[in-house]
Coordinates of all heavy atoms in Angstrom, one line a residue:
M1 N -149.3 24.0 222.7 CA -148.8 24.5 224.1 C -148.0 23.4 224.7 O -147.0 23.6 225.3 CB -150.1 24.9 224.9 CG -149.7 25.4 226.3 SD -148.9 27.0 226.1 CE -148.9 27.5 227.8
L2 N -148.5 22.2 224.7 CA -147.9 21.0 225.3 C -146.4 20.8 224.7 O -145.5 20.5 225.4 CB -148.7 19.8 225.2 CG -148.1 18.5 225.8 CD1 -147.9 18.8 227.3 CD2 -149.0 17.3 225.6
D3 N -146.4 21.0 223.4 CA -145.1 20.8 222.7 C -144.1 21.9 223.2 O -142.9 21.5 223.4 CB -145.2 21.0 221.2 CG -145.9 19.8 220.5 OD1 -145.9 18.7 221.1 OD2 -146.4 20.0 219.4
M4 N -144.5 23.1 223.4 CA -143.6 24.1 223.9 C -143.2 23.8 225.3 O -142.0 24.0 225.7 CB -144.4 25.5 223.9 CG -143.5 26.6 224.2 SD -144.3 28.2 223.9 CE -145.3 28.3 225.3
L5 N -144.0 23.2 226.2 CA -143.7 22.9 227.5 C -142.7 21.7 227.5 O -141.7 21.7 228.3 CB -144.9 22.5 228.3 CG -145.8 23.7 228.7 CD1 -147.1 23.1 229.4 CD2 -145.2 24.7 229.6
Q6 N -142.9 20.8 226.7 CA -142.0 19.6 226.5 C -140.6 20.1 226.1 O -139.6 19.6 226.6 CB -142.5 18.5 225.6 CG -143.6 17.8 226.2 CD -144.2 16.7 225.2 OE1 -144.4 17.0 224.1 NE2 -144.4 15.5 225.8
E7 N -140.6 21.0 225.1 CA -139.3 21.5 224.6 C -138.6 22.2 225.7 O -137.3 22.1 225.9 CB -139.6 22.4 223.4 CG -138.3 22.9 222.7 CD -138.6 23.7 221.5 OE1 -139.4 23.3 220.7 OE2 -137.9 24.8 221.4
T8 N -139.3 23.0 226.5 CA -138.6 23.8 227.6 C -138.1 22.8 228.6 O -137.0 23.0 229.1 CB -139.6 24.7 228.2 OG1 -140.1 25.6 227.2 CG2 -139.1 25.5 229.4
D9 N -138.9 21.8 228.9 CA -138.5 20.8 229.9 C -137.2 20.0 229.4 O -136.3 19.8 230.2 CB -139.6 19.8 230.1 CG -139.4 18.9 231.3 OD1 -139.0 19.5 232.4 OD2 -139.7 17.7 231.3
E10 N -137.2 19.7 228.1 CA -136.0 19.0 227.6 C -134.8 19.9 227.6 O -133.7 19.4 227.9 CB -136.3 18.6 226.1 CG -137.2 17.4 226.1 CD -137.5 17.0 224.6 OE1 -136.9 17.6 223.7 OE2 -138.5 16.2 224.4
K11 N -134.9 21.2 227.3 CA -133.8 22.1 227.4 C -133.3 22.2 228.8 O -132.1 22.2 229.0 CB -134.2 23.5 226.9 CG -134.4 23.5 225.4 CD -134.8 24.9 224.9 CE -135.0 24.9 223.4 NZ -135.4 26.2 222.9
E12 N -134.2 22.2 229.8 CA -133.8 22.3 231.2 C -133.0 21.0 231.6 O -132.0 21.1 232.2 CB -135.0 22.5 232.1 CG -135.6 23.9 232.1 CD -134.6 24.9 232.7 OE1 -134.0 24.6 233.8 OE2 -134.4 25.9 232.1
D13 N -133.5 19.9 231.1 CA -132.8 18.6 231.4 C -131.4 18.7 230.8 O -130.4 18.3 231.5 CB -133.5 17.4 230.8 CG -134.8 17.1 231.7 OD1 -135.0 17.7 232.8 OD2 -135.5 16.2 231.2
F14 N -131.2 19.1 229.6 CA -129.9 19.1 229.0 C -129.0 20.1 229.7 O -127.8 19.8 229.8 CB -130.0 19.5 227.5 CG -130.4 18.3 226.7 CD1 -131.6 18.3 226.0 CD2 -129.6 17.2 226.5 CE1 -132.1 17.2 225.3 CE2 -130.0 16.0 225.8 CZ -131.2 16.1 225.2
K15 N -129.5 21.2 230.2 CA -128.7 22.1 231.0 C -128.2 21.4 232.2 O -127.1 21.6 232.6 CB -129.5 23.4 231.4 CG -129.8 24.4 230.3 CD -130.6 25.5 230.8 CE -131.1 26.4 229.7 NZ -131.9 27.5 230.2
H16 N -129.1 20.7 232.9 CA -128.7 19.9 234.1 C -127.7 18.9 233.7 O -126.7 18.7 234.5 CB -129.9 19.3 234.7 CG -130.7 20.3 235.5 ND1 -131.8 20.9 235.0 CD2 -130.6 20.7 236.8 CE1 -132.3 21.7 236.0 NE2 -131.6 21.6 237.0
F17 N -127.8 18.2 232.6 CA -126.8 17.2 232.2 C -125.4 17.8 232.0 O -124.4 17.2 232.4 CB -127.3 16.5 230.9 CG -128.5 15.7 231.0 CD1 -129.4 15.5 230.0 CD2 -128.8 15.0 232.2 CE1 -130.5 14.8 230.1 CE2 -129.9 14.2 232.3 CZ -130.8 14.1 231.2
E18 N -125.4 19.0 231.4 CA -124.1 19.7 231.2 C -123.5 20.0 232.6 O -122.3 19.9 232.9 CB -124.3 20.9 230.4 CG -124.6 20.7 228.9 CD -123.5 19.9 228.3 OE1 -122.3 20.2 228.5 OE2 -123.8 19.0 227.4
L19 N -124.3 20.5 233.5 CA -123.9 20.8 234.9 C -123.4 19.6 235.6 O -122.4 19.6 236.3 CB -125.0 21.5 235.7 CG -125.3 22.9 235.2 CD1 -126.6 23.4 235.9 CD2 -124.2 23.9 235.5
I20 N -124.1 18.5 235.4 CA -123.7 17.2 236.0 C -122.3 16.8 235.5 O -121.5 16.4 236.3 CB -124.8 16.1 235.8 CG1 -126.0 16.4 236.5 CG2 -124.2 14.7 236.1 CD1 -127.2 15.6 236.1
R21 N -122.1 16.9 234.2 CA -120.8 16.5 233.6 C -119.7 17.4 234.2 O -118.6 16.9 234.3 CB -120.9 16.7 232.1 CG -121.6 15.6 231.4 CD -121.4 15.7 229.9 NE -122.4 14.8 229.3 CZ -123.4 15.3 228.6 NH1 -123.6 16.6 228.4 NH2 -124.3 14.5 228.0
A22 N -120.1 18.6 234.6 CA -119.1 19.5 235.2 C -118.9 19.2 236.7 O -118.2 19.9 237.4 CB -119.5 20.9 235.0
G23 N -119.7 18.3 237.3 CA -119.5 17.9 238.7 C -120.5 18.6 239.6 O -120.3 18.5 240.8
N24 N -121.6 19.2 239.1 CA -122.5 19.9 239.9 C -123.5 18.9 240.6 O -124.3 18.3 239.9 CB -123.3 20.9 239.1 CG -124.3 21.7 239.9 OD1 -125.0 21.2 240.7 ND2 -124.2 23.1 239.7
E25 N -123.4 18.7 241.9 CA -124.2 17.7 242.6 C -125.6 18.1 242.7 O -126.5 17.3 242.7 CB -123.6 17.4 244.0 CG -122.3 16.7 243.9 CD -121.7 16.4 245.2 OE1 -122.4 16.4 246.2 OE2 -120.5 16.2 245.3
K26 N -125.9 19.4 242.8 CA -127.3 19.9 242.9 C -128.0 19.5 241.6 O -129.2 19.1 241.7 CB -127.3 21.3 243.2 CG -128.7 21.9 243.5 CD -128.7 23.3 244.0 CE -130.2 23.7 244.2 NZ -130.3 25.1 244.7
A27 N -127.4 19.7 240.5 CA -128.0 19.4 239.2 C -128.3 17.9 239.1 O -129.4 17.5 238.7 CB -127.1 19.8 238.0
F28 N -127.4 17.1 239.6 CA -127.6 15.6 239.7 C -128.8 15.3 240.5 O -129.7 14.5 240.1 CB -126.4 14.9 240.2 CG -126.6 13.4 240.4 CD1 -126.5 12.6 239.3 CD2 -127.0 12.9 241.6 CE1 -126.8 11.2 239.5 CE2 -127.2 11.6 241.8 CZ -127.1 10.7 240.7
D29 N -128.9 15.9 241.7 CA -130.0 15.7 242.6 C -131.4 16.0 241.9 O -132.4 15.3 242.1 CB -129.9 16.5 243.9 CG -128.8 15.9 244.8 OD1 -128.3 14.7 244.5 OD2 -128.3 16.6 245.7
T30 N -131.4 17.2 241.2 CA -132.6 17.6 240.5 C -133.0 16.6 239.5 O -134.2 16.2 239.5 CB -132.3 19.0 239.9 OG1 -132.0 19.9 240.9 CG2 -133.6 19.5 239.1
I31 N -132.1 16.1 238.7 CA -132.5 15.1 237.7 C -132.9 13.8 238.3 O -133.9 13.2 237.9 CB -131.3 14.9 236.7 CG1 -131.2 16.2 235.8 CG2 -131.5 13.7 235.8 CD1 -132.3 16.4 234.8
F32 N -132.1 13.4 239.3 CA -132.4 12.1 240.0 C -133.8 12.2 240.6 O -134.6 11.2 240.4 CB -131.4 11.8 241.0 CG -131.6 10.5 241.7 CD1 -131.2 9.4 241.2 CD2 -132.2 10.5 243.0 CE1 -131.4 8.1 241.8 CE2 -132.4 9.3 243.6 CZ -132.0 8.1 243.0
L33 N -134.1 13.2 241.3 CA -135.5 13.3 241.9 C -136.6 13.4 240.9 O -137.7 12.9 241.1 CB -135.5 14.5 242.9 CG -134.6 14.3 244.1 CD1 -134.6 15.6 244.9 CD2 -135.1 13.2 245.0
K34 N -136.3 14.0 239.8 CA -137.3 14.2 238.7 C -137.7 12.8 238.1 O -138.8 12.5 237.9 CB -136.8 15.1 237.6 CG -137.8 15.3 236.5 CD -137.2 16.2 235.5 CE -138.2 16.4 234.3 NZ -137.7 17.4 233.3
Y35 N -136.7 12.0 237.9 CA -136.9 10.8 237.2 C -137.0 9.5 238.0 O -137.3 8.4 237.6 CB -135.8 10.6 236.1 CG -136.0 11.5 235.0 CD1 -135.2 12.7 234.8 CD2 -137.0 11.4 234.0 CE1 -135.4 13.6 233.8 CE2 -137.2 12.3 233.0 CZ -136.4 13.4 232.9 OH -136.6 14.3 231.9
Y36 N -136.6 9.7 239.3 CA -136.6 8.5 240.2 C -138.0 7.8 240.3 O -138.0 6.6 240.1 CB -136.3 9.0 241.6 CG -136.2 7.9 242.7 CD1 -135.1 7.0 242.7 CD2 -137.2 7.8 243.6 CE1 -135.1 6.0 243.7 CE2 -137.1 6.8 244.6 CZ -136.1 5.9 244.6 OH -136.0 4.9 245.5
P37 N -139.1 8.5 240.4 CA -140.4 7.7 240.4 C -140.7 6.9 239.1 O -141.1 5.8 239.2 CB -141.5 8.8 240.6 CG -140.7 9.9 241.3 CD -139.3 9.9 240.7
A38 N -140.4 7.5 238.0 CA -140.6 6.8 236.8 C -139.7 5.6 236.6 O -140.1 4.5 236.1 CB -140.5 7.8 235.6
L39 N -138.4 5.8 237.0 CA -137.5 4.7 236.9 C -137.8 3.5 237.8 O -137.7 2.4 237.5 CB -136.1 5.2 237.2 CG -135.4 6.1 236.2 CD1 -134.2 6.8 236.8 CD2 -135.1 5.4 234.9
C40 N -138.3 3.9 239.0 CA -138.7 2.9 240.0 C -140.0 2.1 239.4 O -140.1 0.9 239.5 CB -139.0 3.5 241.3 SG -137.6 3.9 242.3
A41 N -140.9 2.9 238.9 CA -142.1 2.2 238.3 C -141.7 1.3 237.2 O -142.3 0.2 237.1 CB -143.0 3.3 237.8
Y42 N -140.8 1.7 236.3 CA -140.3 0.8 235.3 C -139.7 -0.5 235.8 O -140.0 -1.6 235.4 CB -139.4 1.5 234.4 CG -138.9 0.6 233.2 CD1 -139.7 0.4 232.2 CD2 -137.6 0.1 233.2 CE1 -139.3 -0.5 231.1 CE2 -137.2 -0.8 232.2 CZ -138.0 -1.0 231.2 OH -137.6 -1.9 230.2
A43 N -138.8 -0.3 236.8 CA -138.1 -1.4 237.4 C -139.0 -2.3 238.1 O -138.9 -3.6 238.2 CB -137.0 -0.9 238.3
R44 N -140.1 -1.8 238.6 CA -141.1 -2.5 239.4 C -141.8 -3.5 238.5 O -142.3 -4.5 239.0 CB -142.1 -1.5 240.0 CG -143.2 -2.2 240.8 CD -142.6 -2.9 242.0 NE -143.7 -3.6 242.8 CZ -144.1 -4.8 242.6 NH1 -143.5 -5.6 241.7 NH2 -145.1 -5.3 243.3
Q45 N -141.8 -3.4 237.3 CA -142.4 -4.4 236.3 C -141.7 -5.7 236.4 O -142.2 -6.7 236.0 CB -142.4 -3.8 234.9 CG -143.2 -2.6 234.7 CD -143.1 -2.1 233.3 OE1 -143.2 -2.9 232.3 NE2 -142.9 -0.8 233.1
F46 N -140.4 -5.7 236.8 CA -139.6 -6.8 236.8 C -139.2 -7.4 238.2 O -138.9 -8.6 238.3 CB -138.3 -6.5 236.0 CG -138.5 -5.9 234.7 CD1 -138.5 -4.6 234.5 CD2 -138.9 -6.7 233.6 CE1 -138.7 -4.0 233.2 CE2 -139.2 -6.1 232.4 CZ -139.1 -4.8 232.2
V47 N -139.3 -6.6 239.2 CA -138.9 -7.0 240.5 C -139.8 -6.3 241.6 O -140.6 -5.4 241.2 CB -137.4 -6.6 240.9 CG1 -136.4 -7.4 239.9 CG2 -137.2 -5.1 240.8
D48 N -139.7 -6.7 242.8 CA -140.6 -6.1 243.8 C -140.1 -4.7 244.1 O -139.0 -4.2 243.6 CB -140.6 -6.9 245.1 CG -139.3 -7.0 245.8 OD1 -138.5 -6.0 245.9 OD2 -139.0 -8.1 246.4
F49 N -140.9 -3.9 244.8 CA -140.7 -2.5 245.0 C -139.3 -2.2 245.7 O -138.6 -1.3 245.2 CB -141.8 -1.9 245.9 CG -141.7 -0.4 246.0 CD1 -141.9 0.5 245.0 CD2 -141.3 0.1 247.3 CE1 -141.8 1.8 245.1 CE2 -141.1 1.5 247.4 CZ -141.4 2.4 246.4
A50 N -139.0 -2.9 246.7 CA -137.7 -2.6 247.4 C -136.5 -2.9 246.5 O -135.6 -2.1 246.4 CB -137.6 -3.5 248.7
D51 N -136.6 -4.0 245.7 CA -135.5 -4.2 244.8 C -135.5 -3.2 243.7 O -134.4 -2.8 243.2 CB -135.6 -5.6 244.1 CG -135.3 -6.7 245.1 OD1 -134.6 -6.4 246.1 OD2 -135.7 -7.9 244.9
A52 N -136.6 -2.7 243.2 CA -136.7 -1.7 242.2 C -136.0 -0.4 242.7 O -135.2 0.2 241.9 CB -138.2 -1.4 241.8
E53 N -136.3 0.0 243.9 CA -135.6 1.2 244.4 C -134.1 1.0 244.6 O -133.4 1.9 244.2 CB -136.2 1.5 245.8 CG -137.5 2.1 245.8 CD -137.9 2.6 247.2 OE1 -137.7 1.9 248.2 OE2 -138.5 3.7 247.3
E54 N -133.7 -0.2 245.0 CA -132.3 -0.4 245.1 C -131.6 -0.4 243.8 O -130.5 0.1 243.6 CB -132.0 -1.8 245.8 CG -130.6 -2.1 246.1 CD -130.4 -3.3 246.9 OE1 -131.4 -3.8 247.6 OE2 -129.3 -3.8 246.9
I55 N -132.2 -1.0 242.8 CA -131.6 -1.0 241.4 C -131.5 0.4 240.9 O -130.4 0.8 240.4 CB -132.5 -1.8 240.5 CG1 -132.4 -3.3 240.8 CG2 -132.1 -1.6 239.0 CD1 -133.4 -4.2 240.2
V56 N -132.5 1.2 241.0 CA -132.4 2.6 240.5 C -131.3 3.4 241.3 O -130.5 4.1 240.7 CB -133.8 3.3 240.6 CG1 -133.7 4.8 240.3 CG2 -134.8 2.6 239.7
Q57 N -131.3 3.3 242.6 CA -130.3 4.0 243.4 C -128.9 3.5 243.1 O -128.0 4.3 242.9 CB -130.6 3.8 244.9 CG -131.9 4.5 245.3 CD -132.3 4.2 246.7 OE1 -131.6 3.5 247.5 NE2 -133.5 4.6 247.1
E58 N -128.8 2.2 243.0 CA -127.4 1.7 242.7 C -126.9 2.1 241.3 O -125.8 2.3 241.1 CB -127.4 0.2 242.9 CG -126.1 -0.5 242.8 CD -125.1 -0.1 243.9 OE1 -125.6 0.2 245.0 OE2 -123.9 -0.1 243.7
S59 N -127.9 2.2 240.4 CA -127.5 2.5 239.0 C -127.0 4.0 239.0 O -126.1 4.2 238.1 CB -128.7 2.4 238.1 OG -129.1 1.1 238.0
C60 N -127.5 4.8 239.8 CA -127.0 6.2 239.8 C -126.0 6.5 240.9 O -125.0 7.1 240.5 CB -128.2 7.1 240.0 SG -129.3 7.1 238.5
Y61 N -126.2 6.2 242.1 CA -125.3 6.5 243.2 C -124.2 5.6 243.4 O -123.2 5.9 243.9 CB -126.1 6.7 244.5 CG -126.9 8.0 244.5 CD1 -128.2 8.0 244.4 CD2 -126.2 9.2 244.6 CE1 -129.0 9.2 244.4 CE2 -127.0 10.4 244.6 CZ -128.3 10.4 244.5 OH -129.0 11.5 244.5
G62 N -124.4 4.3 242.9 CA -123.4 3.3 243.2 C -122.3 3.2 242.0 O -121.7 2.2 241.9
S63 N -122.1 4.3 241.3 CA -121.3 4.2 240.1 C -119.9 4.8 240.4 O -119.2 5.2 239.5 CB -122.0 4.9 239.0 OG -122.2 6.3 239.3
G64 N -119.5 4.9 241.6 CA -118.2 5.4 241.9 C -118.2 6.6 242.8 O -119.2 7.1 243.3
K65 N -117.1 7.2 243.1 CA -116.9 8.2 244.0 C -117.5 9.5 243.5 O -117.9 10.4 244.3 CB -115.4 8.5 244.3 CG -114.8 7.4 245.0 CD -113.3 7.7 245.3 CE -112.7 6.5 246.0 NZ -111.3 6.7 246.2
T66 N -117.7 9.7 242.2 CA -118.2 10.9 241.7 C -119.7 11.1 242.0 O -120.3 12.2 242.0 CB -118.0 11.0 240.2 OG1 -118.7 10.0 239.5 CG2 -116.6 11.0 239.8
G67 N -120.4 9.9 242.2 CA -121.8 10.0 242.4 C -122.6 10.3 241.1 O -123.8 10.7 241.2
T68 N -122.0 10.2 240.0 CA -122.6 10.6 238.7 C -123.2 9.3 238.1 O -122.6 8.3 238.0 CB -121.6 11.2 237.7 OG1 -121.0 12.3 238.4 CG2 -122.2 11.6 236.5
C69 N -124.4 9.4 237.7 CA -125.1 8.3 237.1 C -124.3 7.9 235.8 O -124.0 8.7 234.9 CB -126.5 8.7 236.7 SG -127.5 7.4 236.1
R70 N -124.0 6.6 235.8 CA -123.1 6.1 234.7 C -123.9 6.3 233.4 O -123.2 6.4 232.3 CB -122.8 4.6 234.9 CG -124.0 3.7 234.9 CD -123.5 2.3 235.3 NE -123.1 2.3 236.7 CZ -123.4 1.3 237.5 NH1 -123.9 0.2 237.1 NH2 -123.0 1.4 238.8
Y71 N -125.2 6.3 233.3 CA -125.9 6.4 232.1 C -125.9 7.9 231.6 O -126.0 8.1 230.4 CB -127.3 5.9 232.2 CG -127.3 4.5 232.6 CD1 -127.6 4.1 233.9 CD2 -126.8 3.5 231.7 CE1 -127.6 2.7 234.3 CE2 -126.8 2.1 232.1 CZ -127.1 1.8 233.4 OH -127.1 0.5 233.8
L72 N -125.7 8.8 232.4 CA -125.6 10.2 232.0 C -124.4 10.5 231.2 O -124.3 11.4 230.4 CB -125.7 11.2 233.2 CG -127.0 11.2 233.9 CD1 -126.9 12.2 235.1 CD2 -128.1 11.6 233.0
K73 N -123.4 9.7 231.4 CA -122.1 9.8 230.6 C -122.3 9.5 229.1 O -121.6 9.9 228.3 CB -121.0 8.9 231.2 CG -120.6 9.4 232.6 CD -119.6 8.4 233.2 CE -119.3 8.8 234.6 NZ -118.4 7.9 235.2
L74 N -123.4 8.7 228.8 CA -123.7 8.4 227.5 C -124.4 9.5 226.7 O -124.5 9.5 225.5 CB -124.5 7.1 227.4 CG -124.0 5.9 228.1 CD1 -125.0 4.8 228.1 CD2 -122.7 5.4 227.4
L75 N -124.9 10.4 227.4 CA -125.7 11.5 226.8 C -124.8 12.5 226.1 O -123.8 12.8 226.5 CB -126.7 12.2 227.8 CG -127.7 11.2 228.4 CD1 -128.4 12.0 229.4 CD2 -128.6 10.7 227.3

C-alpha cells in the first residue's frame, strides 16, 4: 500500500514539474511548500535556522525573474 502511495505522489510531483517548466506559478508554489520544511531541515544541519530558510528561499525564488527553482531545470 505504501509503495502505491509513493508512486502516486511521485507521479503528482512530475506533473507539477512539467507545469512548472511551462511557467505555472501555482504548481511551483505547491512543490515549494511541499518540500520547504524538509529542505530547511537539511540546510539546518549546516547553518542556523534563519540562514537555512534564506538559503532554501534564495535557491528557489532568487533564481531570476521567472521564479523557477534552478534545480527543477535539471529534472
Side-chain angles (χ1 to χ4, degrees):
M1 181 71 169
L2 183 59
D3 289 339
M4 190 169 74
L5 291 174
Q6 285 180 315
E7 185 177 314
T8 301
D9 196 42
E10 288 176 9
K11 287 180 181 180
E12 283 296 312
D13 284 354
F14 282 114
K15 286 180 189 176
H16 281 97
F17 294 145
E18 290 299 320
L19 291 170
I20 291 166
R21 285 190 196 108
N24 185 311
E25 291 181 22
K26 186 173 180 178
F28 175 82
D29 290 344
T30 299
I31 289 293
F32 182 78
L33 292 173
K34 178 178 180 179
Y35 290 103
Y36 181 76
L39 292 169
C40 285
Y42 179 76
R44 179 63 183 94
Q45 296 176 48
F46 307 100
V47 296
D48 65 37
F49 183 73
D51 287 341
E53 285 190 317
E54 186 174 340
I55 289 167
V56 172
Q57 291 170 10
E58 187 66 27
S59 294
C60 290
Y61 286 107
S63 60
K65 294 180 182 177
T66 62
T68 302
C69 186
R70 64 185 71 142
Y71 301 107
L72 292 178
K73 294 176 184 176
L74 300 175
L75 299 174

